[in-house]
Every structure is written in C-alpha cells, then in structure tokens.
Amino acid sequence: MNLSAVIEGLLFVVGEDGLTLDQLSRITECDKDVVATALSSLREEYEKENRGIRIHFLGNTFKLTTKKEHHPYYQKLVEVPGTNKLSQAALETLAIIAYNEPITRGEVDEIRGVSSVQLVRKLLAKSFIKEVGRSDAPGRPILYQTTSEFLDYFGLATVEDLPKLEITGVEDSQVDDGVDLYQSKYKEEQTIEEEIL
C-alpha cells in the first residue's frame, strides 16, 4: 500500500470536511507518526509551484484546498460562458438545499444517496449557496442555504416562491398505518408466484 496515495484519495473524497490525524490513523490502520510523516511529505509535494492544490491544516483537520494565488482563474472559470450551466446532479442538489435549508452536506448526501462534495463546491463557487453556520450534530457540520444569486438566477422573489412538492407513489393509508412497504411488495410477489404455479 502506498500510504501517501491512500491519504491523498481519502482527503479528496471527504472534501471540505477534512480528516483529523486520528481518523487517518484509524482508517489506514497505521501509527499516527507514520501517517504524520506521509502527510508532511504530501504537503511538501503540493507546495511546489507546479501543483494546483495543497493540503491545509484547518480546525484540527487536514483538507485539500486550492492555492490562493490561483483564485483569479477560478473566478474566471465561473464567469466564462458555457461553464455556468448546471448539470442535472447539481440542480438536484440545489433543489434539496432550497427545500430543506439550512441543511448539512451529510443530510444532502443522505437524501441523494450519493456523495455531493463536488456539487456543493461547485454551487458555492457559483454563489448559489452559502455557509450559514454549523449544526449541533456531532462534528458540528457546516449548514448551507441558498443565496440571492440563486433567487435571481431562477427568477424568484423568495424561497417561498418555489413550487410546492407533492409526495407521490405512497398512499396516505400506507404511511398512516405504518405498513412495511418491503413486506407488502414481497407478499404481493409471493401471491403472484403461487397463482402461476
């Protein structure tokens, strides 16, 4: 196992949440001193002029971040025509935030069923969402909500102008009676099988 490569991948996957030395040690099953040495080596590599990212130590966690001196180029990226389009996944993430704000990235991931790290970064870069504090949940994750730029982009006066959502596909009686949908489907399929046999 190449420990530096594993750490690099882990930091990329967790994004803005970062990882502590303890977490990296537990995940990699390596001694803290060994992990610290690998981190130090990675940080030195990223500080070279030919690298576009760096490892930053913020709030007791290590995170992959961009270099401050490259910020003007990231700003241009957002402003360049054609790069301002939102993908279906980004729209989905934005809708989840708009309808549930303030919300943490972990809660967005739970609703979507997949990681939203890159999408949240993209929406932050486009100023469609912003950080508005921290949740009281363990780890005190960052809370996000939509911005005035989001409202302008979609032609809304307030978030209340969003279309009302209707939950479909589940009958009220099933929700009220606490029916186990999996068991109901299983029994239904079993009955069909019996009829065929």
Side-chain angles (χ1 to χ4, degrees), residues 14-19 57-61 63 102-107 124 130-145:
V14 298
E16 67 195 31
D17 291 342
L19 289 168
F57 185 66
L58 296 165
N60 202 33
T61 60
K63 305 176 185 186
I103 187 171
T104 66
R105 188 182 54 77
E107 290 168 329
L124 280 167
K130 63 182 177 182
E131 297 179 7
V132 290
R134 292 192 171 267
S135 166
D136 292 331
R140 302 205 19 92
I142 296 168
L143 288 166
Y144 298 98
Q145 75 177 38

Side-chain angles (χ1 to χ4, degrees), residues 3-4 7 11 19-26 28-45 55 57 62:
L3 183 58
S4 293
I7 291 171
L11 293 177
L19 289 168
T20 65
L21 187 60
D22 284 342
Q23 289 171 322
L24 286 166
S25 178
R26 273 196 313 256
T28 60
E29 298 177 349
C30 292
D31 187 73
K32 283 186 197 176
D33 291 339
V34 175
V35 173
T37 301
L39 270 168
S40 179
S41 174
L42 263 177
R43 288 180 83 178
E44 280 179 33
E45 180 63 30
I55 294 179
F57 185 66
F62 293 93

Side-chain angles (χ1 to χ4, degrees), residues 16 85-94 96-97 105 108-109 112 114-129 144:
E16 67 195 31
K85 293 180 182 173
L86 292 175
S87 65
Q88 190 63 38
L91 284 170
E92 179 184 278
T93 302
L94 190 53
I96 290 168
I97 293 169
R105 188 182 54 77
V108 173
D109 292 353
R112 290 190 69 232
V114 292
S115 175
S116 306
V117 174
Q118 300 301 332
L119 296 170
V120 167
R121 282 184 185 164
K122 184 175 185 178
L123 294 172
L124 280 167
K126 291 181 181 296
S127 298
F128 286 152
I129 62 172
Y144 298 98

Side-chain angles (χ1 to χ4, degrees), residues 23-195:
Q23 289 171 322
L24 286 166
S25 178
R26 273 196 313 256
I27 294 166
T28 60
E29 298 177 349
C30 292
D31 187 73
K32 283 186 197 176
D33 291 339
V34 175
V35 173
T37 301
L39 270 168
S40 179
S41 174
L42 263 177
R43 288 180 83 178
E44 280 179 33
E45 180 63 30
Y46 282 133
E47 289 303 322
K48 292 180 181 173
E49 197 176 307
N50 65 336
R51 302 304 294 262
I53 55 176
R54 60 189 293 239
I55 294 179
H56 211 142
F57 185 66
L58 296 165
N60 202 33
T61 60
F62 293 93
K63 305 176 185 186
L64 282 179
T65 63
T66 54
K67 292 185 174 178
K68 282 189 276 187
E69 56 266 36
H70 298 163
H71 179 75
Y73 300 101
Y74 306 136
Q75 191 62 41
K76 284 181 187 176
L77 174 67
V78 176
E79 295 165 0
V80 169
T83 64
N84 214 22
K85 293 180 182 173
L86 292 175
S87 65
Q88 190 63 38
L91 284 170
E92 179 184 278
T93 302
L94 190 53
I96 290 168
I97 293 169
Y99 279 101
N100 298 281
E101 62 186 32
I103 187 171
T104 66
R105 188 182 54 77
E107 290 168 329
V108 173
D109 292 353
E110 196 173 316
I111 293 169
R112 290 190 69 232
V114 292
S115 175
S116 306
V117 174
Q118 300 301 332
L119 296 170
V120 167
R121 282 184 185 164
K122 184 175 185 178
L123 294 172
L124 280 167
K126 291 181 181 296
S127 298
F128 286 152
I129 62 172
K130 63 182 177 182
E131 297 179 7
V132 290
R134 292 192 171 267
S135 166
D136 292 331
R140 302 205 19 92
I142 296 168
L143 288 166
Y144 298 98
Q145 75 177 38
T146 53
T147 63
S148 55
E149 283 86 349
F150 159 77
L151 296 174
D152 291 344
Y153 186 86
F154 290 97
L156 303 168
T158 67
V159 177
E160 282 70 39
D161 292 338
L162 285 167
K164 299 291 177 254
L165 291 180
E166 291 182 24
I167 299 173
T168 57
V170 179
E171 294 178 15
D172 290 341
S173 61
Q174 287 179 315
V175 175
D176 294 341
D177 298 341
V179 174
D180 185 335
L181 297 180
Y182 172 76
Q183 288 295 332
S184 300
K185 184 73 177 164
Y186 174 75
K187 286 177 184 170
E188 189 178 300
E189 288 173 359
Q190 200 173 25
T191 305
I192 294 168
E193 280 180 22
E194 286 170 0
E195 286 175 6

